[in-house]
């Protein structure tokens, strides 16, 4: 998704901007650009289609430098992937603008500005903002006022960063529904869409709130709310380390992140289970009053986080004996749902900035839920700031677009939620103590499961030339099959689908032949025998079966069936998380064999901050 970086400093800011873009690369983008005010007071603009490296090549061919500058990585929404559509967009050779989000009323504004004589160079909604600010600046007498007047006319979602080359003493920013953070330095200040971009420069951050406009100069930061009143916003010191996003010895971020899972899960559980008890305070100060009232949970999320929600349904229904429903956020927000009494609304999101999930949370706040809660990986995110309760997954920054450690830490956090609710519901202490022990041993079990990597790499060779794959599971293994199929399609571009194995004969069996590998998730649970019958149906149609199974499940390798044996003693509560690991590795190795861009798959973005 789009990335923003800006800086005003007593030195050349070009390296800060380029490093910031590089640190946002993982979010996905298709073109980049930078605008600076050079030593002669002229606006210098460089833009390129493709990766940050292409922009760097342009800067080497035609160098520029300056003490004030803005840079952007674009993920196309309005207009194709071209250099003309890349940001920054400029009006009158002086106003430079970068923008994340979507302006919904850009067409009437564009028509109005065309009539007023502005000439458009691109097909983007962003260029409208540049001309509108330019137009307002003619009478406002001050860039901050011009931006305030301009944004008052915009509808939609935006984070905007602007400078005026004729008055290069400030950067002005504004946001609604798209994240924007100010980084505070000594005699220099910065702005970005994500703290990651600025960690080499500062750890001190101010998060702008909805409707804020800020005037950022070298020594001062002034913030105004939507009503134009001067306000102060708290300063946060980030605990993230600048090198948390380095790849180290691993060939890809995704592989590094798969191998980080034992540590990430241990961190997520750390200090939250004491003895056999989940500490409710981990969910925030209001947890002790809210959790006792919860009789039902409605979960909303997107993508991989949605799959975590589907697993959580089993934790809450089977473990804590309360009803749980799960839904994708893009559907929920337009559904006009009927809310049962004492229902907790739970949003799950790695980034905490996914537009649909955030909009769903905001909608939910109007609907009479007992409370809202977030399970999220980014403490400073909008989702966490706006939910009543939150539990942070401590996965650390996830760079690979295909989510891995964020998913398994979500499962760990959701198992804690299930246990916390079970405790409150008065479920037998012996049972909750057993769950607690099973949750605590997850990091070690993941470590064992990762040892399957070499075998999985060999299996991957049988998938590399395939066009389709079918994943099967039952019960809580069905969402894991969904997640396995999603991983494979995201990074290898093999069409993959997942089905609850019992549904096989209602359609997908028609597709099965010897060219369609079928992957089955087969833990030793109460549905094992049912699954085995379903797999017989597949084998009878000549498909090649790849079964991930517990030891002693009675599967025999043979003609057309290969078995990968999981570590010993996996309990039902643990199996969704543990069976995820080999499916991640399978997708990874298949993608590497096919030579795709594992960390930044085509057309996808890490954080989808537009609807
Ligand atoms: C994008 C990412 C996925 C992620 C989904 C939801 O599609 O590529 O990996 O699962 O967004 O993101 P969230 O940050 O809300 O979990």
């Amino acid at each position: 998704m789009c990335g923003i970086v800006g800086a005003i400093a007593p030195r050349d800011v070009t390296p800060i901007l380029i490093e910031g873009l590089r640190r946002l690369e993982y979010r996905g983008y298709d073109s980049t650009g930078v605008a600076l005010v050079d030593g002669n007071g002229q606006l210098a603009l460089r833009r390129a289609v493709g990766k940050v490296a292409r922009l760097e090549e342009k800067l080497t061919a035609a160098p520029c430098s300056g003490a004030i500058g803005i840079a952007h990585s674009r993920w196309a929404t309005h207009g194709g992937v071209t250099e003309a559509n890349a940001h920054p967009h400029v009006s009158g050779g002086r106003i430079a603008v970068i923008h994340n989000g979507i302006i919904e009323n850009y067409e009437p504004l564009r028509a109005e500005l065309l009539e007023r004589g502005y000439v458009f160079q691109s097909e983007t909604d962003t260029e409208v903002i540049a001309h509108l600010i330019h137009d307002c600046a003619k009478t406002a007498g001050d860039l901050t006022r011009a931006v305030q007047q301009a944004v008052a006319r915009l509808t939609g979602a935006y984070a905007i960063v602007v400078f005026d080359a004729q008055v290069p003493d400030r950067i002005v920013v504004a946001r609604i529904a798209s994240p924007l953070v100010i980084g505070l330095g000594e005699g220099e200040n910065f702005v970005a869409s994500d703290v990651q971009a600025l960690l080499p420069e500062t750890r001190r951050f101010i998060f702008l709130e909805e409707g804020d406009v800020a005037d950022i100069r070298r020594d001062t930061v002034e913030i105004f709310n939507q009503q134009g009143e001067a306000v102060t916003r708290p300063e946060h010191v980030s605990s993230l380390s600048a090198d948390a996003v380095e790849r180290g010895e691993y060939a890809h971020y995704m592989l590094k992140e798969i191998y980080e899972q034992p540590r990430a899960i241990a961190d997520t559980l750390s200090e939250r289970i004491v003895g056999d008890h989940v500490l409710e305070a981990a969910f925030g100060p209001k947890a002790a009053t809210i959790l006792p009232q919860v009789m039902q949970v409605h979960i909303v999320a997107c993508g991989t986080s949605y799959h975590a929600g589907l697993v959580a349904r089993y934790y809450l229904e089977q473990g804590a004996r309360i009803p749980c429903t799960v839904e994708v956020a893009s559907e929920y927000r337009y559904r006009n749902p009927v809310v049962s009494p004492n229902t907790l609304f739970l949003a799950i999101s790695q980034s905490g900035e996914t537009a649909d999930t955030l909009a769903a949370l905001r909608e939910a706040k109007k609907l009479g839920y007992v409370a809202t809660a977030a399970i999220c990986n980014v403490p400073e995110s909008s989702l966490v700031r706006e939910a009543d309760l939150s539990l942070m997954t401590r996965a650390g920054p996830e760079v690979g677009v295909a989510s891995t450690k964020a998913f398994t830490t979500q499962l760990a956090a959701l198992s804690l939620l299930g246990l916390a609710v079970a405790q409150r519901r008065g479920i037998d202490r012996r049972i909750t103590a057993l769950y607690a022990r099973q949750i605590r041993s997850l990091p070690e079990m993941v470590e064992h499961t990762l040892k399957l990597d070499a075998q999985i790499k060999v299996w991957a060779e049988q998938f590399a030339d395939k066009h389709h794959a079918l994943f099967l599971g039952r019960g809580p293994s069905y969402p894991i099959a969904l997640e396995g199929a999603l991983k494979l399609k995201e990074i290898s571009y093999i069409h993959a689908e997942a089905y609850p194995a019992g549904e096989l004969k209602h359609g997908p069996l028609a597709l099965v032949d010897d060219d369609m590998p079928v992957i089955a998730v087969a833990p030793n649970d109460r549905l094992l025998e049912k699954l085995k019958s379903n797999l017989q149906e597949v084998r009878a149609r000549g498909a090649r079966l790849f079964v991930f199974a517990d030891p002693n499940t009675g599967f025999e390798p043979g003609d057309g069936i290969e078995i990968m044996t999981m570590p010993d003693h996996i309990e039902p509560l643990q199996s969704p998380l543990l069976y995820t690991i080999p499916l991640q590795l399978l997708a990874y190795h298949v993608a590497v064999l096919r030579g795709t861009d594992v960390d930044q798959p085509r057309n996808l973005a890490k954080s989808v901050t537009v609807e």
Side-chain angles (χ1 to χ4, degrees):
M1 198 95 317
C2 304
I4 278 177
V5 197
I8 180 161
R11 54 182 167 138
D12 177 22
V13 297
T14 321
I16 302 171
L17 301 179
I18 296 298
E19 173 62 12
L21 287 185
R22 204 181 62 74
R23 296 174 68 86
L24 295 176
E25 274 193 311
Y26 71 94
R27 295 166 64 102
Y29 63 96
D30 45 52
S31 49
T32 57
V34 58
L36 300 140
V37 183
D38 68 17
N40 304 320
Q42 297 300 310
L43 194 153
L45 182 67
R46 306 281 184 275
R47 297 181 295 188
V49 169
K51 304 223 171 206
V52 178
R54 292 289 317 281
L55 182 64
E56 287 184 277
E57 282 164 27
K58 288 216 161 176
L59 283 163
T60 310
C64 61
S65 61
I68 175 170
I70 58 180
H72 190 262
S73 52
R74 171 174 189 252
W75 190 74
T77 56
H78 290 71
V81 180
T82 62
E83 194 173 314
N85 286 338
H87 302 206
H89 290 284
V90 175
S91 184
R94 58 182 273 208
I95 304 286
V97 175
I98 52 179
H99 161 226
N100 285 357
I102 292 177
I103 302 304
E104 284 173 349
N105 61 337
Y106 89 105
E107 279 178 342
L109 287 173
R110 186 179 163 109
E112 180 189 321
L113 289 158
L114 279 168
E115 213 158 277
R116 292 165 76 86
Y118 288 93
V119 178
F120 281 78
Q121 314 283 348
S122 77
E123 306 153 305
T124 65
D125 51 348
T126 305
E127 196 179 352
V128 165
I129 307 173
H131 294 315
L132 191 60
I133 293 172
H134 185 190
D135 207 51
C136 294
K138 288 178 183 164
T139 51
D142 166 86
L143 183 63
T144 309
R145 260 199 301 282
V147 170
Q148 283 168 320
Q149 288 170 7
V151 296
R153 302 204 51 205
L154 304 178
T155 57
Y158 55 79
I160 300 165
V161 180
V162 190
F163 71 67
D164 180 351
Q166 288 183 2
V167 196
D169 63 346
R170 78 195 78 166
I171 288 175
V172 179
V173 307
R175 71 156 290 223
I176 280 186
S178 275
L180 205 55
V181 58
I182 297 172
L184 304 170
E186 297 296 328
E188 53 187 21
N189 286 311
F190 316 95
V191 62
S193 48
D194 183 327
V195 295
Q196 283 300 335
L198 300 178
L199 283 173
E201 303 304 326
T202 184
R203 272 165 206 293
R204 294 165 52 217
F205 294 104
I206 294 175
F207 296 94
L208 292 179
E209 296 190 4
E210 289 293 278
D212 281 355
V213 171
D215 177 321
I216 305 170
R217 305 188 191 205
R218 272 176 48 184
D219 294 303
T220 57
V221 171
E222 280 184 281
I223 304 173
F224 305 92
N225 64 15
Q226 205 159 8
Q227 289 68 47
E229 299 153 350
V231 287
T232 44
R233 303 288 182 218
E235 184 183 320
H236 298 261
V237 177
S238 175
S239 55
L240 290 173
S241 82
D243 61 6
V245 290
E246 297 303 331
R247 211 176 57 204
E249 77 221 41
Y250 291 95
H252 298 95
Y253 281 109
M254 183 181 177
L255 189 63
K256 172 180 179 246
E257 288 159 2
I258 289 173
Y259 273 88
E260 278 174 354
Q261 289 178 109
R263 197 269 312 143
I265 295 163
D267 286 352
T268 301
L269 300 176
S270 158
E271 295 163 353
R272 289 161 170 184
I273 300 193
V274 174
D276 292 335
H277 207 75
V278 174
L279 298 183
E280 286 179 353
F283 293 86
K286 297 186 200 152
T289 45
I290 292 171
L291 285 180
Q293 301 175 56
V294 174
M295 306 291 285
Q296 192 166 330
V297 178
H298 188 65
I299 298 178
V300 165
C302 299
T304 288
S305 298
Y306 167 67
H307 296 157
L310 292 173
V311 175
R313 183 164 79 183
Y314 290 87
Y315 295 156
L316 286 158
E317 291 195 345
Q318 289 181 12
R321 302 303 301 146
I322 62 166
C324 175
T325 43
V326 192
E327 191 174 1
V328 287
S330 52
E331 289 297 316
Y332 173 85
R333 60 184 288 195
Y334 296 113
R335 187 167 61 82
N336 196 11
V338 178
V339 179
S340 306
N342 294 87
T343 303
L344 176 73
F345 177 91
L346 173 64
I348 307 173
S349 172
Q350 187 283 128
S351 61
E353 303 294 351
T354 301
D356 283 322
T357 310
L358 208 48
L361 175 85
R362 289 173 182 160
E363 187 60 29
K365 290 191 137 203
K366 303 178 205 148
L367 294 179
Y369 287 93
V370 67
T372 56
I375 295 223
C376 188
N377 195 37
V378 181
E380 300 91 356
S381 63
S382 307
L383 198 72
V384 172
R385 281 181 281 139
E386 293 180 31
D388 300 313
L389 302 181
S390 58
L391 183 66
M392 303 317 305
T393 51
R394 295 173 179 150
E398 190 180 63
V399 174
V401 164
S403 187
T404 53
K405 62 177 180 170
F407 178 68
T408 49
T409 54
Q410 283 168 350
L411 294 186
L414 288 160
S415 67
L416 292 180
L417 175 68
L419 187 51
V421 176
Q423 284 170 188
R424 276 285 174 184
R425 303 265 305 147
I427 304 280
D428 188 333
R429 289 279 313 250
R430 281 166 304 183
I431 296 177
T432 55
L434 192 67
Y435 290 157
R437 284 197 289 280
Q438 292 173 2
I439 293 170
R440 277 207 314 262
S441 65
L442 282 169
E444 195 188 333
M445 303 280 288
V446 173
E447 199 82 65
H448 292 316
T449 311
L450 283 167
K451 294 191 180 128
L452 296 174
D453 193 7
Q455 279 169 268
I456 294 168
K457 199 170 171 183
V458 176
W459 268 22
E461 286 165 20
Q462 300 186 61
F463 289 78
D465 63 342
K466 296 290 183 277
H467 300 291
H468 307 276
L470 182 62
F471 288 69
L472 299 175
R474 296 197 68 145
S477 300
Y478 167 53
I480 299 312
L482 281 170
E483 178 57 13
L486 179 64
K487 287 291 86 91
L488 189 69
K489 80 177 92 164
E490 278 178 318
I491 61 168
S492 76
Y493 314 149
I494 293 176
H495 167 235
E497 276 196 73
Y499 257 85
E503 275 289 296
L504 202 55
K505 50 179 124 14
H506 299 295
L509 207 50
L511 299 174
V512 166
D513 61 17
D514 59 3
D515 205 31
M516 165 89 108
V518 176
I519 300 101
V521 181
N524 195 359
D525 60 16
R526 64 196 179 89
L527 288 166
L528 178 66
E529 292 310 317
K530 303 268 178 212
L531 177 72
K532 280 184 172 172
S533 314
N534 303 141
L535 297 185
Q536 288 301 338
E537 295 158 8
V538 173
R539 269 195 86 185
R541 270 82 190 172
R544 193 156 189 86
L545 260 177
F546 296 83
V547 184
F548 292 94
D550 279 4
N552 310 317
T553 34
F555 284 105
E556 291 294 336
D559 194 21
I561 170 161
E562 304 214 19
I563 311 297
M564 180 88 53
T565 308
M566 295 286 287
D568 266 333
H569 308 304
I570 297 179
E571 301 294 338
L573 183 144
Q574 300 171 322
S575 69
L577 194 155
L578 296 174
Y579 274 80
T580 302
I581 310 293
L583 300 185
Q584 295 170 341
L585 287 166
L586 181 65
Y588 173 77
H589 289 301
V590 174
V592 170
L593 286 171
R594 288 168 68 91
T596 53
D597 189 341
V598 172
D599 287 328
Q600 290 170 31
R602 68 184 180 203
N603 305 341
L604 299 180
K606 181 73 193 156
S607 179
V608 181
T609 50
V610 293
E611 185 174 352

